[in-house]
């Protein structure tokens, strides 16, 4: 069964460093999402992406964040200058957009900013 | 406003008990989807069910059942004869079908279920 994959599973970085979180959505899916979950809290929407552009972003998704689909298979989330409060689990999701509205999630990347 | 409320923060039951997880939602959209996801201790988000706002039929899948009541804006989830493996955090989520096909998910705070042997 196809699944969303994410790498790395855990990333530790120093405050102020740039990080790139990678996701491979399910092939033939058209809609892509990033969510984050601060430890013990609810899941929060960050950004959605369709047709090679951002379709919606939340207030959390400020200028420090960017997303890209560089090669037709990967979907990346970049944080330019990490802050302590960026420490969270980051989930990628994809949705086919055809006959189903279910978002399927990857296993997550745990980002720890020191 | 779009909002999902899961009033039960934590529930603890003994194996084989039935347990119901509550979910109440708010939306002005007439068309929307409701979801339940399970987050086991390993951390991933596992899709359980999607329900369309036009379909109020209750659904049963094995030991799991869902009760969707539009009149009370509730989408409750019942686990019958709970097992230790059901221990997880369960999230209810809302996807309003607003213009633009974005379909972002709006999440509740989750209910942490502990099933004890």
């Amino acid at each position: 069964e196809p699944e969303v994959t994410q790498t790395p599973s855990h990333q530790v970085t120093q405050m102020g460093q740039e990080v790139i979180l990678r996701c491979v959505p399910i092939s033939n899916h058209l809609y892509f999402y990033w969510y984050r979950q601060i430890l013990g809290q609810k899941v929060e929407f960050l950004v959605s992406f369709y047709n090679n552009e951002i379709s919606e972003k939340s207030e959390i998704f400020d200028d420090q964040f960017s997303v890209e689909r560089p090669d037709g298979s990967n979907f990346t989330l970049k944080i330019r200058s990490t802050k302590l409060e960026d420490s969270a689990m980051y989930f990628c999701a994809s949705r086919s957009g055809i006959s189903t509205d279910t978002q399927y999630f990857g296993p997550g990347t745990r980002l720890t900013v020191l | 406003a779009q909002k999902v409320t899961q009033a039960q923060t934590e529930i603890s039951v003994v194996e084989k008990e039935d347990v119901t997880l509550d979910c109440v939602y708010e939306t002005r959209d007439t068309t929307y989807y409701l979801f339940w996801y399970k987050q086991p201790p390993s951390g991933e988000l596992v899709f359980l069910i999607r329900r369309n706002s036009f379909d109020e039929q209750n659904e049963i899948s094995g030991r799991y059942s869902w009760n969707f009541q539009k009149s009370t804006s509730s989408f409750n989830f019942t686990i019958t004869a709970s097992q230790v493996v059901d221990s997880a955090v369960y999230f209810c989520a809302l996807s309003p079908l607003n213009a633009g096909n974005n379909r972002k998910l709006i999440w509740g705070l989750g209910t942490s279920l502990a099933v004890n042997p």
Side-chain angles (χ1 to χ4, degrees), chain A residues 31 33 48 56 101 103, chain B residues 37 39 50 101-104:
Chain A
Y31 297 83
Y33 305 83
S48 58
E56 185 173 349
D101 278 273
Q103 293 180 28
Chain B
Y37 285 86
Q39 186 174 43
R50 181 185 83 241
N101 216 22
N102 173 37
R103 314 288 167 87
K104 70 179 179 185

